[in-house]
Amino acid sequence: MVQVWDNHAHLHKDHQVKPALEMNQKAQQLPPIVYIHHGNWHIAWCLPNRGVTFATRRTNPAEYCVVRDFTNATPLSHVRASINGGFFSPSHHYKQDSEHSTKTCPHNKMIGEVGTGTKGKWERGETLKRREERWCFGMDEKGNIKALPMLYDEKTGYAQVNPEIENNFPYGLSAIGLLVQEGKAQPRPPKWGGYKKDFSALRTILAWTEKKHVFFISGGPAYWNEAANFILSLRDVIAEFLKKKGIKVNLDQFLGTNFNAVMLDGGGSVKFDYFLNPQKPSTYSGFQRRPDNAPNSQRYLTTYITAEAKFKE
């Protein structure tokens, strides 16, 4: 339950701070996962204590486009969001998809590791060979998230998921970037994605606060620092959204003050889906970047992140 407190204790007979029930009821009318479109950014805001469950998935082999798998799996009276996950080595051998009459790329190879439901037994893809600053995050189904640097073998320069993450979290991804840590923007790693110089690109981001608010974010294009600055502006974005809904809260107490975020795969692999009762097409919000050489395709990905909750309008 979302607890909203007012600051007018003197208005109550016993002069005690009490829940602002009217505002709380308005907050409860929000879906457990809220879609916000702000400029060039798409946000799925997952509220804590509203029954949202989280998971990271692997399409193995990458035979399911995220949007197809996602749509078919969403039942009635549910709200669900999904974004693409970690990096992969793309195959350039496209084939014709007879069902959807589109060209697709189903043989991408995952880089790093992904948790698919079992602690200590994450699935492994290609070893990260580039020696650069990469991170991993762990997540449980309730949205508790922790990020740590990957561990490197000094002899080979190869990296692997930090055992502290893999052994304590059933879900998560490795070989990703740290964008914001405890409210502070982090520098772009050297040779991020194999490029020495930063460039403006579409981005996919997972963000969270110490109050267990979780955000799936896609959009841009943006440079690394622009993406970080957007995360640092999320508090204002949420404040503006709540104001329009007539919901008054103490944002620091409700939302938290320390934002964290990791950079997921971007560029030509950005994918965002949001469904509120999938039987109503008007409740779907989606955004994706299509491969240049397959302009009509739904991009195949190796991993993605989902959030889902029961909600009846």
Side-chain angles (χ1 to χ4, degrees):
M1 179 177 291
V2 179
Q3 293 289 335
V4 183
W5 299 85
D6 65 25
N7 294 316
H8 304 288
H10 63 284
L11 299 179
H12 301 293
K13 292 181 179 180
D14 57 4
H15 300 280
Q16 297 296 313
V17 177
K18 294 183 177 181
L21 296 179
E22 181 180 356
M23 293 298 100
N24 188 35
Q25 290 172 358
K26 287 185 178 180
Q28 285 295 315
Q29 292 173 5
L30 293 174
I33 307 173
V34 178
Y35 172 68
I36 301 175
H37 185 197
H38 185 85
N40 294 328
W41 298 94
H42 302 261
I43 306 165
W45 172 24
C46 305
L47 297 170
N49 305 316
R50 293 288 304 276
V52 181
T53 57
F54 298 85
T56 49
R57 305 293 187 193
R58 182 179 184 183
T59 55
N60 184 21
E63 292 178 345
Y64 298 101
C65 173
V66 171
V67 69
R68 186 190 311 168
D69 182 57
F70 186 65
T71 305
N72 294 341
T74 307
L76 287 170
S77 301
H78 276 59
V79 57
R80 193 175 182 187
S82 177
I83 52 173
N84 56 280
F87 292 82
F88 56 87
S89 297
S91 166
H92 298 289
H93 301 289
Y94 289 84
K95 71 175 184 179
Q96 187 75 18
D97 185 333
S98 58
E99 180 182 355
H100 295 274
S101 298
T102 59
K103 293 182 179 179
T104 55
C105 180
H107 301 299
N108 298 330
K109 296 181 179 179
M110 179 181 70
I111 296 175
E113 296 90 359
V114 58
T116 56
T118 305
K119 297 178 182 179
K121 294 184 179 180
W122 286 23
E123 294 187 28
R124 281 156 171 75
E126 290 187 344
T127 306
L128 182 64
K129 297 179 180 180
R130 293 189 298 272
R131 186 174 178 81
E132 57 184 69
E133 188 176 347
R134 291 291 182 105
W135 284 61
C136 52
F137 75 87
M139 168 189 284
D140 65 19
E141 67 174 10
K142 295 183 178 180
N144 295 295
I145 304 174
K146 184 176 183 178
L148 289 174
M150 294 183 72
L151 295 184
Y152 287 86
D153 185 317
E154 294 294 337
K155 294 182 179 180
T156 64
Y158 289 0
Q160 63 181 10
V161 60
N162 194 308
E164 184 177 342
I165 295 294
E166 181 177 7
N167 294 333
N168 289 287
F169 292 92
Y171 301 108
L173 293 165
S174 69
I176 43 88
L178 182 67
L179 185 63
V180 174
Q181 186 176 40
E182 296 184 353
K184 296 182 180 179
Q186 301 300 303
R188 177 182 181 270
K191 297 183 180 180
W192 173 254
Y195 298 94
K196 293 182 179 180
K197 187 177 181 181
D198 194 14
F199 57 94
S200 183
L202 296 174
R203 306 288 183 174
T204 310
I205 301 167
L206 173 70
W208 66 95
T209 73
E210 77 275 14
K211 296 290 186 177
K212 298 183 181 179
H213 291 257
V214 180
F215 303 86
F216 293 179
I217 302 170
S218 289
Y223 289 93
W224 181 281
N225 66 319
E226 291 175 334
N229 288 336
F230 178 73
I231 298 302
L232 298 179
S233 74
L234 266 181
R235 184 184 186 280
D236 295 335
V237 173
I238 298 301
E240 179 183 345
F241 175 84
L242 294 176
K243 183 178 180 180
K244 291 180 179 179
K245 295 292 184 179
I247 301 173
K248 298 179 181 179
V249 298
N250 181 318
L251 270 182
D252 290 344
Q253 294 180 11
F254 173 61
L255 191 61
T257 57
N258 291 326
F259 280 84
N260 301 274
V262 290
M263 184 78 82
L264 305 174
D265 197 6
S269 305
V270 168
K271 190 72 185 67
F272 176 98
D273 282 301
Y274 176 88
F275 285 94
L276 179 62
N277 186 342
Q279 298 302 314
K280 298 180 180 179
S282 61
T283 64
Y284 165 74
S285 297
F287 171 75
Q288 71 175 11
R289 169 71 178 273
R290 305 170 193 269
D292 293 337
N293 54 348
N296 296 318
S297 76
Q298 303 277 15
R299 183 73 180 260
Y300 278 76
L301 304 167
T302 58
T303 56
Y304 59 101
I305 312 174
T306 65
E308 183 176 353
K310 293 182 179 180
F311 179 72
K312 188 174 183 179
E313 296 179 89

Coordinates of all heavy atoms in Angstrom, one line a residue, residues 13-55:
K13 N -7.8 16.6 15.6 CA -8.2 16.9 16.9 C -7.1 16.5 17.9 O -7.0 17.1 19.0 CB -9.5 16.1 17.2 CG -10.7 16.7 16.5 CD -12.0 15.9 16.8 CE -13.2 16.4 16.1 NZ -14.4 15.7 16.4
D14 N -6.4 15.4 17.7 CA -5.4 14.9 18.6 C -4.0 15.5 18.3 O -3.0 15.1 18.9 CB -5.4 13.4 18.7 CG -5.1 12.8 17.3 OD1 -4.9 13.5 16.4 OD2 -5.1 11.5 17.3
H15 N -3.9 16.3 17.2 CA -2.7 17.0 16.9 C -1.6 16.0 16.5 O -0.4 16.3 16.6 CB -2.2 17.9 18.0 CG -3.2 19.0 18.4 ND1 -3.3 20.1 17.7 CD2 -4.1 19.0 19.4 CE1 -4.2 20.9 18.2 NE2 -4.7 20.2 19.3
Q16 N -2.0 14.9 16.0 CA -1.0 13.9 15.5 C -1.1 13.8 14.0 O -2.1 14.0 13.4 CB -1.4 12.5 16.1 CG -1.3 12.4 17.6 CD 0.1 12.6 18.1 OE1 1.1 12.1 17.6 NE2 0.3 13.5 19.1
V17 N 0.1 13.5 13.4 CA 0.2 13.3 11.9 C -0.5 12.0 11.6 O -0.2 11.0 12.1 CB 1.6 13.3 11.5 CG1 1.7 13.0 10.0 CG2 2.4 14.6 11.8
K18 N -1.5 12.2 10.6 CA -2.3 11.0 10.2 C -2.2 10.8 8.7 O -1.9 11.8 8.0 CB -3.8 11.2 10.6 CG -3.9 11.2 12.2 CD -5.4 11.3 12.5 CE -5.6 11.2 14.0 NZ -7.1 11.3 14.4
P19 N -2.5 9.6 8.2 CA -2.5 9.4 6.8 C -3.4 10.4 6.1 O -4.6 10.6 6.5 CB -2.9 8.0 6.6 CG -2.7 7.3 7.9 CD -2.9 8.4 9.0
A20 N -3.0 10.9 5.0 CA -3.9 11.7 4.1 C -4.7 10.8 3.3 O -4.3 10.4 2.2 CB -3.1 12.7 3.3
L21 N -5.9 10.4 3.9 CA -6.6 9.3 3.3 C -7.1 9.6 1.9 O -7.1 8.7 1.0 CB -7.8 8.9 4.2 CG -7.4 8.4 5.6 CD1 -8.7 8.1 6.4 CD2 -6.6 7.2 5.5
E22 N -7.5 10.8 1.6 CA -8.0 11.1 0.3 C -7.0 11.0 -0.7 O -7.2 10.4 -1.8 CB -8.6 12.6 0.3 CG -9.2 13.0 -1.0 CD -9.7 14.4 -1.0 OE1 -9.7 15.0 0.0 OE2 -10.1 14.8 -2.1
M23 N -5.8 11.5 -0.4 CA -4.7 11.4 -1.4 C -4.2 10.0 -1.5 O -3.8 9.5 -2.6 CB -3.5 12.3 -0.9 CG -3.7 13.8 -0.9 SD -4.1 14.4 -2.5 CE -5.9 14.5 -2.5
N24 N -4.3 9.2 -0.4 CA -3.9 7.8 -0.5 C -4.8 7.0 -1.4 O -4.4 6.2 -2.2 CB -3.9 7.2 0.9 CG -3.3 5.8 1.0 OD1 -2.4 5.5 0.3 ND2 -3.9 4.9 1.8
Q25 N -6.1 7.3 -1.4 CA -7.0 6.7 -2.3 C -6.8 7.0 -3.7 O -6.9 6.1 -4.6 CB -8.5 7.1 -1.9 CG -8.9 6.5 -0.5 CD -10.3 7.1 -0.1 OE1 -10.8 8.0 -0.8 NE2 -10.8 6.6 1.0
K26 N -6.4 8.2 -4.0 CA -6.0 8.6 -5.3 C -4.8 7.9 -5.8 O -4.7 7.4 -7.0 CB -5.8 10.1 -5.4 CG -7.0 11.0 -5.4 CD -6.7 12.4 -5.6 CE -8.0 13.3 -5.5 NZ -7.7 14.7 -5.7
A27 N -3.8 7.7 -4.9 CA -2.6 7.0 -5.2 C -2.9 5.5 -5.5 O -2.3 4.9 -6.4 CB -1.6 7.1 -4.1
Q28 N -3.8 5.0 -4.7 CA -4.2 3.6 -4.9 C -4.9 3.3 -6.3 O -5.0 2.2 -6.7 CB -5.1 3.1 -3.8 CG -4.4 2.9 -2.5 CD -3.4 1.7 -2.6 OE1 -3.7 0.7 -3.1 NE2 -2.2 1.9 -2.1
Q29 N -5.5 4.4 -6.8 CA -6.1 4.2 -8.1 C -5.1 4.1 -9.3 O -5.5 3.7 -10.4 CB -7.1 5.4 -8.4 CG -8.3 5.4 -7.4 CD -9.1 6.7 -7.5 OE1 -8.8 7.5 -8.4 NE2 -10.1 6.8 -6.7
L30 N -3.9 4.5 -9.0 CA -2.9 4.3 -10.0 C -2.6 2.8 -10.3 O -2.7 2.0 -9.3 CB -1.6 5.0 -9.6 CG -1.6 6.5 -9.5 CD1 -0.2 7.0 -8.9 CD2 -1.8 7.1 -10.9
P31 N -2.3 2.4 -11.5 CA -1.8 1.0 -11.7 C -0.6 0.8 -10.9 O 0.2 1.7 -10.6 CB -1.6 0.9 -13.2 CG -2.3 2.1 -13.8 CD -2.3 3.2 -12.7
P32 N -0.3 -0.5 -10.5 CA 1.0 -0.8 -9.8 C 2.2 -0.5 -10.7 O 3.3 -0.2 -10.1 CB 0.9 -2.3 -9.6 CG -0.6 -2.6 -9.6 CD -1.2 -1.7 -10.6
I33 N 2.0 -0.5 -12.0 CA 3.1 0.0 -12.9 C 2.5 1.1 -13.8 O 1.5 0.9 -14.4 CB 3.5 -1.2 -13.8 CG1 3.9 -2.4 -13.0 CG2 4.7 -0.7 -14.7 CD1 4.3 -3.6 -13.8
V34 N 3.1 2.3 -13.7 CA 2.6 3.5 -14.3 C 3.4 3.8 -15.5 O 4.6 3.8 -15.5 CB 2.6 4.7 -13.3 CG1 2.1 5.9 -14.0 CG2 1.7 4.3 -12.1
Y35 N 2.7 4.1 -16.6 CA 3.4 4.6 -17.8 C 3.5 6.1 -17.9 O 2.5 6.8 -17.7 CB 2.7 4.0 -19.1 CG 3.3 4.6 -20.4 CD1 4.6 4.3 -20.8 CD2 2.6 5.5 -21.1 CE1 5.1 4.8 -21.9 CE2 3.1 6.1 -22.3 CZ 4.4 5.7 -22.7 OH 4.9 6.2 -23.8
I36 N 4.7 6.6 -18.1 CA 4.9 8.1 -18.2 C 5.7 8.3 -19.5 O 6.7 7.7 -19.7 CB 5.6 8.6 -17.0 CG1 4.9 8.4 -15.7 CG2 5.9 10.1 -17.2 CD1 5.6 8.8 -14.5
H37 N 5.2 9.2 -20.3 CA 5.9 9.6 -21.5 C 6.4 11.0 -21.3 O 5.6 12.0 -21.1 CB 5.0 9.6 -22.8 CG 5.7 9.9 -24.0 ND1 5.0 10.2 -25.2 CD2 7.0 9.9 -24.4 CE1 5.9 10.4 -26.2 NE2 7.1 10.3 -25.7
H38 N 7.7 11.2 -21.2 CA 8.2 12.6 -20.9 C 9.3 12.9 -22.0 O 10.4 12.3 -22.0 CB 8.9 12.5 -19.6 CG 9.4 13.9 -19.1 ND1 8.6 14.8 -18.5 CD2 10.6 14.5 -19.2 CE1 9.3 15.9 -18.2 NE2 10.5 15.7 -18.6
G39 N 8.9 13.8 -22.9 CA 9.8 14.2 -24.0 C 10.1 13.0 -24.9 O 9.2 12.3 -25.4
N40 N 11.4 12.7 -25.0 CA 11.9 11.5 -25.8 C 12.0 10.3 -25.0 O 12.6 9.3 -25.4 CB 13.2 11.8 -26.5 CG 13.1 12.9 -27.5 OD1 12.0 13.1 -28.1 ND2 14.1 13.7 -27.7
W41 N 11.5 10.3 -23.7 CA 11.7 9.1 -22.8 C 10.4 8.4 -22.5 O 9.4 9.1 -22.3 CB 12.4 9.6 -21.6 CG 13.8 10.2 -21.8 CD1 14.1 11.5 -21.9 CD2 15.0 9.5 -21.9 NE1 15.4 11.7 -22.1 CE2 16.0 10.4 -22.1 CE3 15.3 8.1 -21.8 CZ2 17.3 10.1 -22.2 CZ3 16.7 7.8 -21.9 CH2 17.7 8.7 -22.2
H42 N 10.5 7.1 -22.4 CA 9.4 6.3 -22.1 C 9.7 5.6 -20.7 O 10.8 5.0 -20.6 CB 9.1 5.2 -23.1 CG 8.8 5.8 -24.5 ND1 7.5 6.0 -24.9 CD2 9.6 6.3 -25.4 CE1 7.6 6.5 -26.1 NE2 8.8 6.7 -26.5
I43 N 8.8 5.7 -19.8 CA 9.1 5.3 -18.4 C 8.0 4.3 -17.9 O 6.8 4.6 -18.1 CB 9.2 6.5 -17.4 CG1 10.2 7.5 -17.9 CG2 9.5 6.0 -16.0 CD1 10.1 8.8 -17.2
A44 N 8.4 3.2 -17.4 CA 7.4 2.3 -16.7 C 7.8 2.4 -15.2 O 8.9 1.9 -14.8 CB 7.5 0.9 -17.2
W45 N 7.0 3.0 -14.4 CA 7.3 3.3 -13.0 C 6.6 2.2 -12.2 O 5.4 2.1 -12.1 CB 6.8 4.7 -12.6 CG 6.9 5.0 -11.2 CD1 7.7 4.5 -10.2 CD2 6.1 6.0 -10.5 NE1 7.4 5.1 -9.0 CE2 6.4 6.0 -9.1 CE3 5.1 6.9 -10.9 CZ2 5.8 6.8 -8.2 CZ3 4.5 7.7 -10.0 CH2 4.9 7.7 -8.7
C46 N 7.4 1.3 -11.5 CA 6.9 0.2 -10.7 C 6.8 0.6 -9.3 O 7.8 0.9 -8.6 CB 7.8 -1.0 -10.9 SG 8.0 -1.5 -12.6
L47 N 5.6 0.7 -8.7 CA 5.4 1.1 -7.3 C 5.6 0.0 -6.3 O 5.3 -1.1 -6.6 CB 4.0 1.7 -7.2 CG 3.6 2.9 -8.0 CD1 2.1 3.1 -8.0 CD2 4.3 4.1 -7.6
P48 N 6.3 0.3 -5.2 CA 6.5 -0.7 -4.2 C 5.2 -1.1 -3.4 O 4.3 -0.3 -3.4 CB 7.5 0.0 -3.3 CG 7.2 1.4 -3.4 CD 6.8 1.6 -4.8
N49 N 5.2 -2.3 -2.9 CA 4.1 -2.8 -2.0 C 2.8 -2.8 -2.8 O 1.7 -2.6 -2.2 CB 4.0 -1.9 -0.8 CG 5.2 -1.8 0.0 OD1 5.9 -2.8 0.2 ND2 5.6 -0.6 0.4
R50 N 2.9 -3.0 -4.1 CA 1.6 -3.1 -4.9 C 1.6 -4.5 -5.6 O 0.8 -4.6 -6.6 CB 1.6 -2.0 -5.9 CG 1.4 -0.6 -5.3 CD 0.0 -0.4 -4.7 NE -1.1 -0.7 -5.7 CZ -1.5 0.3 -6.6 NH1 -1.0 1.5 -6.6 NH2 -2.4 0.0 -7.5
G51 N 2.4 -5.4 -5.2 CA 2.3 -6.8 -5.8 C 3.0 -6.9 -7.1 O 2.7 -7.9 -7.9
V52 N 3.9 -6.0 -7.5 CA 4.7 -6.1 -8.7 C 5.7 -7.2 -8.6 O 6.5 -7.2 -7.6 CB 5.3 -4.8 -9.1 CG1 6.1 -4.9 -10.4 CG2 4.3 -3.7 -9.2
T53 N 5.8 -8.1 -9.5 CA 6.9 -9.1 -9.5 C 7.8 -8.9 -10.7 O 7.4 -8.5 -11.8 CB 6.3 -10.5 -9.6 OG1 5.5 -10.6 -10.8 CG2 5.4 -10.9 -8.4
F54 N 9.1 -9.1 -10.5 CA 10.1 -8.8 -11.5 C 10.9 -10.1 -11.9 O 10.9 -11.1 -11.1 CB 11.1 -7.9 -10.9 CG 10.6 -6.5 -10.5 CD1 10.0 -6.3 -9.3 CD2 10.6 -5.4 -11.4 CE1 9.4 -5.1 -8.9 CE2 10.1 -4.2 -11.1 CZ 9.5 -4.0 -9.8
A55 N 11.4 -10.1 -13.1 CA 12.2 -11.2 -13.5 C 13.1 -10.7 -14.7 O 12.8 -9.8 -15.4 CB 11.4 -12.4 -14.0

